[in-house]
């Protein structure tokens, strides 16, 4: 039994009383139409699909399925708004609209947090403390740049691109919408955005915010649908720029279809980040970093620390402490403020995760899961680690996108580095050590877009984000995020 006082409480069967967030202040409509040209209008073919709460499997609402004609209507509305008010407006005025969106998001933060957790399954603590505040922060940050673009790129003349088509995934629904819409608007573009099928609701609520902020009609259009709707946006001839976040598989399809079209694009794709723990690291903090790296948001994070590389001399200590910590993690009701790990986003994603659990065992790895209870209905996965894995195993090479960690050991810095770089991905990484020199050596040589030192999964609107290798093309966030929505003339 652990001697840590918090664990003693746990071992004695001590439990937190439930602390559910209230849903009284939230209204979700029976049905949502497409937000095109500043108004909600029904889809041409009259088709709708359901979005459910993955924690209960209950239907939350029905949303419109946009066909090609609807996509065309949205692109035309965006083009008209671009040619009309938006590209002619003074940049400082444009900035005011974006500031207004940011402030309304802050005012409605509680409502957005609850809807995000209901529709996507993530713990309310995360949607409340991370997703929604960061989404507002992105609008604030880019609002500030709107009238300062020439200072962002001294000596060069910035021009907007036109209509931006944006397709986003289900893991950070509102935040991904903010990452995409805020810089596009600040640079003077108009937007057609499609959220993921399983998490459309906060994007539709954002459409309400955009109405409330009184943006000129057509500057932002939000249309719901499936993969075909996304493909219709990508392939529309009158779209000037594509911004996509999602799987490497779909990213490849998009890149192929954009080749030779002259459209500018950014792709944020998958990852298989290594969290690298040296023997001289502060071990307790590192264990917290591992937990945050892979169990945060059910592991539905492209930059998740899904591989652990631990120096051999401390491997036993780290794994023991990690198992102890896993036992204290609370899996369950996303709306409960005590919950650490919420619901897996969809039945389909749960199947994918389960198939990787089988693959890991078939590959000969040893699996350990925490012993917590999970509810009978809904989609759940206990926090899971695999030891005894080798570099070529599929669970080490492929993105699982769930709360599943593959653990390997290394002896020397060079071995750690080689193992860290040995995947097709290069989105992020983490280094834990007491020595600054090791941090520099590792960060200079890991081929990844973002590397955290003695911390993990920290985001800020001012810092660029994006991948190497199969993790994508281009950067979002910070100044780089502006560049992606501009044509710079020298
Ligand atoms: P996905 O299939 O790539 O979907 C991402 C977005 O693209 C969704 O809005 C999706 O619509 C849309 N889409 C699907 N097919 C398309 C196409 N041919 N052309 C244009 N848009 C298309 O990813 P997913 O199904 O959400 O998740 C699958 C895997 O992607 C995960 O297991 C994970 O490996 C990876 N993923 C990565 C990130 C990241 O941030 N890098 C985020 C989420 C997922 P629908 O929602 O209607 O399918
Ligand atoms: Mg849903």
């Amino acid at each position: 039994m652990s001697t840590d006082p918090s664990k003693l409480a746990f071992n004695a069967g001590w439990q937190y009383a439930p602390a559910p967030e209230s849903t009284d202040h939230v209204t979700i409509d029976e049905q949502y139409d497409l937000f095109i040209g500043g108004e909600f209008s029904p889809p041409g073919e009259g088709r709708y699909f359901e979005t459910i709460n993955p924690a209960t499997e209950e239907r939350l609402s029905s949303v419109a399925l946009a066909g090609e004609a609807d996509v065309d209507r949205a692109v035309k509305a965006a083009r008209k708004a671009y040619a009309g008010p938006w590209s002619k407006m003074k940049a400082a005025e444009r900035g005011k609209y974006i500031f207004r969106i940011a402030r309304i998001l802050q005012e409605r933060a509680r409502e957005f947090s609850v809807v995000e957790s209901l529709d996507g399954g993530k713990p309310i603590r995360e949607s409340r403390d991370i997703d929604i505040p960061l989404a507002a922060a992105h609008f604030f940050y880019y609002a500030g740049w709107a009238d300062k673009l020439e200072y962002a790129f001294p000596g060069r003349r910035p021009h907007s691109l036109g209509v931006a088509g944006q397709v986003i995934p289900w893991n950070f629904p509102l935040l991904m919408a903010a990452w995409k819409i805020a810089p596009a608007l600040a640079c003077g573009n108009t937007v057609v955005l499609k959220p993921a099928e399983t998490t459309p609701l906060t994007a539709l609520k954002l459409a309400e915010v955009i109405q409330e902020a009184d943006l000129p009609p057509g500057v932002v259009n939000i249309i719901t649908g499936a993969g075909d709707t996304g493909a219709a946006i990508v392939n529309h001839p009158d779209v000037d720029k594509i911004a996509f976040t999602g799987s490497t598989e779909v990213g490849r399809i998009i890149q192929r279809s954009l080749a030779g079209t002259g459209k500018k694009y950014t792709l944020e794709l998958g990852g298989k980040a290594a969290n690298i723990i040296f023997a001289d690291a502060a071990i307790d903090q590192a264990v917290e970093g591992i937990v945050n790296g892979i169990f945060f948001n059910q592991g539905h994070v492209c930059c998740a620390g899904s591989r652990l590389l631990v120096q051999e001399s401390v491997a036993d200590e780290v794994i023991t402490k990690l198992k102890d910590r896993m036992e204290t993690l609370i899996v369950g009701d996303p709306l409960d403020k005590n919950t650490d790990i919420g619901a897996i986003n969809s039945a389909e994603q749960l199947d994918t995760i389960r198939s990787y659990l089988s693959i890991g065992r078939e590959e000969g790895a040893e699996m350990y899961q925490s012993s917590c209870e999970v509810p009978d209905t809904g989609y759940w996965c206990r926090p899971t680690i695999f030891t005894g894995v080798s570099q070529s195993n599929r669970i080490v090479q492929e993105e699982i996108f769930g709360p599943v960690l593959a653990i390997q050991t290394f002896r020397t810095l060079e071995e750690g580095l080689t193992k860290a770089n040995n995947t097709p991905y290069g989105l992020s990484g983490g280094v834990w050590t007491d020595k600054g020199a090791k941090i520099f050596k590792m960060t200079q040589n890991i081929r990844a877009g973002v590397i955290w030192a003695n911390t993990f999964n920290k985001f800020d609107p001012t810092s660029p984000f994006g991948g190497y290798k199969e993790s994508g093309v281009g950067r979002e966030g910070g100044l780089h995020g502006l560049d992606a929505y501009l044509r710079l003339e020298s």
Side-chain angles (χ1 to χ4, degrees):
M1 185 183 277
S2 170
T3 49
D4 178 334
S6 63
K7 308 284 161 41
L8 283 176
F10 173 81
N11 290 335
W14 189 85
Q15 284 194 334
Y16 288 101
E21 172 69 49
S22 149
T23 55
D24 296 350
H25 56 292
V26 173
T27 49
I28 295 175
D29 293 349
E30 245 319 282
Q31 181 173 297
Y32 285 91
D33 285 324
L34 303 168
F35 184 66
I36 297 177
E39 284 169 2
F40 285 91
S41 57
E45 294 166 27
R47 289 158 69 196
Y48 292 82
F49 61 97
E50 291 187 350
T51 184
I52 64 159
N53 175 347
T56 60
E57 301 177 46
E58 282 164 6
R59 172 187 173 279
L60 291 168
S61 182
S62 294
V63 302
L65 182 71
E68 265 184 46
D70 300 307
V71 170
D72 186 51
R73 202 154 58 84
V75 173
K76 285 203 167 93
R79 176 62 59 192
K80 193 172 162 208
Y82 179 71
W86 199 245
S87 62
K88 301 201 173 75
M89 190 181 286
K90 272 197 178 153
E93 288 303 310
R94 231 167 41 219
K96 281 186 203 166
Y97 283 104
I98 310 170
F99 274 122
R100 217 179 278 165
I101 297 171
R103 282 194 300 267
I104 301 172
L105 274 180
Q106 281 187 324
E107 281 161 22
R108 294 175 61 175
R110 266 189 73 202
E111 174 196 356
F112 270 87
S113 311
V114 170
V115 175
E116 201 72 301
S117 285
L118 285 171
D119 202 16
K122 64 173 62 198
I124 187 76
R125 234 173 38 211
E126 274 168 26
S127 43
R128 182 195 64 192
D129 297 347
I130 295 164
D131 294 67
I132 311 305
L134 262 182
H138 274 82
F139 281 106
F140 275 120
Y141 174 73
Y142 281 113
W145 274 120
D147 61 349
K148 302 175 194 70
L149 295 175
E150 56 271 41
Y151 303 103
F153 304 100
R156 310 187 66 187
R157 271 175 299 147
H159 298 279
S160 55
L161 298 172
V163 176
Q166 308 180 323
V167 179
I168 56 172
W170 41 261
N171 55 343
F172 292 92
L174 183 73
L175 184 56
M176 288 300 109
W179 275 30
K180 303 251 179 303
I181 295 174
L185 297 188
C187 294
N189 305 283
T190 57
V191 164
V192 176
L193 174 124
K194 186 195 94 68
E197 243 168 290
T198 55
T199 54
L201 294 182
T202 46
L204 292 162
K205 290 250 163 212
L206 180 62
E208 292 171 8
V209 169
I210 282 158
Q211 273 184 326
E212 203 179 324
D214 213 13
L215 258 76
V219 170
V220 175
N221 304 276
I222 295 179
I223 57 174
T224 44
D228 288 347
T229 313
I233 296 175
V234 169
N235 296 322
H236 196 290
D238 201 29
V239 168
D240 302 291
K241 141 99 194 183
I242 294 296
F244 170 79
T245 298
S247 60
T248 297
E249 192 190 342
V250 174
R252 272 202 204 101
I253 297 173
I254 292 177
Q255 199 170 22
R256 232 177 277 134
S257 58
L258 291 180
T261 63
K263 289 177 191 169
K264 200 165 173 169
Y265 62 88
T266 39
L267 306 172
E268 299 285 355
L269 311 175
K272 193 74 186 178
N275 228 333
I276 306 162
I277 318 286
F278 284 95
D280 58 18
I283 298 296
D284 289 344
Q285 280 93 321
V287 168
E288 279 311 301
I290 300 165
V291 167
N292 175 26
I294 185 61
F295 300 137
F296 168 56
N297 198 20
Q298 299 69 250
H300 296 338
V301 186
C302 47
C303 53
S306 51
R307 291 183 294 150
L308 170 61
L309 293 173
V310 55
Q311 203 157 20
E312 203 173 79
S313 58
V314 292
D316 287 345
E317 180 189 357
V318 168
I319 293 169
T320 305
K321 287 189 164 172
L322 178 61
K323 286 178 174 173
D324 274 354
R325 181 68 177 95
M326 283 164 69
E327 278 300 313
T328 69
L329 294 173
I330 300 171
V331 182
D333 182 5
L335 287 186
D336 192 316
K337 290 164 207 156
N338 297 318
T339 294
D340 297 300
I341 299 181
I344 299 301
N345 184 267
S346 64
E348 197 186 357
Q349 186 59 25
L350 183 57
D351 281 347
T352 304
I353 297 169
R354 284 188 176 148
S355 75
Y356 275 106
L357 299 185
S358 306
I359 290 166
R361 279 171 299 191
E362 281 157 22
E363 286 177 326
E366 191 179 320
M367 185 173 93
Y368 173 86
Q369 291 190 305
S370 77
S371 63
C372 63
E373 299 279 322
V374 298
D376 294 331
T377 47
Y379 314 129
W380 310 96
C381 180
R382 292 187 181 86
T384 305
I385 58 175
F386 278 108
T387 49
V389 299
S390 59
Q391 192 68 38
S392 60
N393 285 170
R394 286 184 62 191
I395 54 167
V396 172
Q397 291 291 328
E398 297 174 17
E399 189 182 41
I400 300 173
F401 229 61
V404 182
L405 178 70
I407 303 181
Q408 294 174 278
T409 59
F410 67 93
R411 289 184 186 168
T412 62
L413 182 145
E414 285 69 26
E415 188 190 348
L417 201 52
T418 305
K419 284 182 168 165
N421 279 331
N422 187 352
T423 80
Y425 295 110
L427 191 55
S428 63
V431 180
W432 297 80
T433 171
D434 192 32
K435 301 284 181 291
K438 269 188 208 160
I439 292 176
F440 287 125
K441 176 91 179 166
M442 295 302 282
T443 50
Q444 277 166 9
N445 291 291
I446 294 177
R447 294 205 64 218
V450 182
I451 303 171
W452 289 287
N454 295 324
T455 187
F456 208 85
N457 272 342
K458 288 276 181 283
F459 303 96
D460 189 282
T462 63
S463 87
F465 185 90
Y468 283 76
K469 302 193 278 186
E470 293 193 9
S471 290
V473 180
R475 296 290 178 269
E476 293 185 312
L479 283 179
H480 296 68
L482 293 172
D483 192 16
Y485 285 95
L486 291 170
R487 186 168 53 81
L488 295 172
E489 235 176 67
S490 22

